[in-house]
Amino acid sequence: MKRSLTSLILVALLCGLLWRAELELRWGWTSLNWAWKVYAAFPLSMASFAAWVVLITRVRERAKFAAAQMAFFILALVFFWCYLRYAVAALMGPFPAFNFLVVWMLPVFWVFLPLSFGWICRLFGVRVHFGLHLVSSALFTASWPLAVCLLDLVDHRGGADLIHALKSGFVIPLLVLSLGFPLLFAKRADESLA
């Protein structure tokens, strides 16, 4: 498990560095052009994490498992991309009560992302205790406020808020770590759960 944790940390840091490097190289820190753009860091990070998952879980159908993960991550990215665009538009709309509901549904969808990922892992024979997926969901959600706290601690340029947690890349390793955490305790289908 020690090597698995070390490799997960390295993949998480790589994902954060890929995002930050691309943002800095393409748009620079002070530009506002970075929002709503397509980044190569997303598919590269998804592929890196999917490769880690396939290697750590040792499933039999590796190519199918990797493809299922990539499809899941791409669909999740498209869903949240469209949802956030809709939520921003709804905030400017004429119905404040509905706007409140649209914005506050985001954390609900966010919590289900690690649980859905766990379901895909189970579909391919990777057995993880359901409680660990619940912990993963809690950590996945807590990654955002934790990243804001880290930004505040290091006095990062731009301030400490949710937008800068993403822009700085501080939240990305935390998200990857929380998503991969349950797999550190995974059992294959032919192994017994203790």
Side-chain angles (χ1 to χ4, degrees):
M1 180 170 143
K2 193 173 183 181
R3 283 189 309 205
S4 303
L5 178 59
T6 303
S7 60
L8 176 60
I9 290 169
L10 291 174
V11 167
L13 291 173
L14 173 69
C15 293
L17 288 172
L18 284 171
W19 161 260
R20 179 66 181 260
E22 186 172 5
L23 184 134
E24 293 272 4
L25 289 172
R26 287 181 63 189
W27 309 110
W29 179 258
T30 57
S31 170
L32 294 175
N33 294 330
W34 68 276
W36 309 114
K37 303 293 186 202
V38 177
Y39 288 85
F42 287 142
L44 289 173
S45 296
M46 290 181 220
S48 299
F49 182 71
W52 178 83
V53 171
V54 167
L55 290 173
I56 203 69
T57 56
R58 303 181 318 261
V59 296
R60 288 190 182 91
E61 300 174 319
R62 291 178 176 216
K64 287 183 183 176
F65 188 32
Q69 287 181 75
M70 290 302 293
F72 171 74
F73 291 136
I74 289 168
L75 288 173
L77 182 65
V78 168
F79 172 80
F80 282 105
W81 180 288
C82 293
Y83 188 86
L84 285 173
R85 288 183 75 98
Y86 178 75
V88 168
L91 282 173
M92 299 174 193
F95 305 108
F98 180 69
N99 299 346
F100 180 78
L101 179 65
V102 168
V103 171
W104 287 104
M105 282 302 293
L106 182 62
V108 174
F109 292 130
W110 195 252
V111 165
F112 282 110
L113 194 88
L115 295 174
S116 302
F117 175 70
W119 180 78
I120 289 172
C121 291
R122 281 189 163 271
L123 190 65
F124 281 88
V126 180
R127 301 289 181 233
V128 177
H129 191 278
F130 183 70
L132 289 172
H133 286 300
L134 291 176
V135 171
S136 176
S137 285
L139 292 173
F140 200 73
T141 305
S143 293
W144 289 95
L146 184 57
V148 170
C149 290
L150 288 173
L151 283 173
D152 195 32
L153 281 174
V154 299
D155 196 25
H156 193 276
R157 62 184 170 173
D161 54 43
L162 294 175
I163 296 293
H164 285 97
L166 176 60
K167 187 176 180 181
S168 67
F170 274 52
V171 74
I172 293 170
L174 298 173
L175 294 171
V176 172
L177 286 169
S178 61
L179 201 58
F181 163 75
L183 298 177
L184 297 174
F185 306 96
K187 301 283 185 190
R188 290 186 353 198
D190 56 352
E191 295 180 83
S192 63
L193 276 173

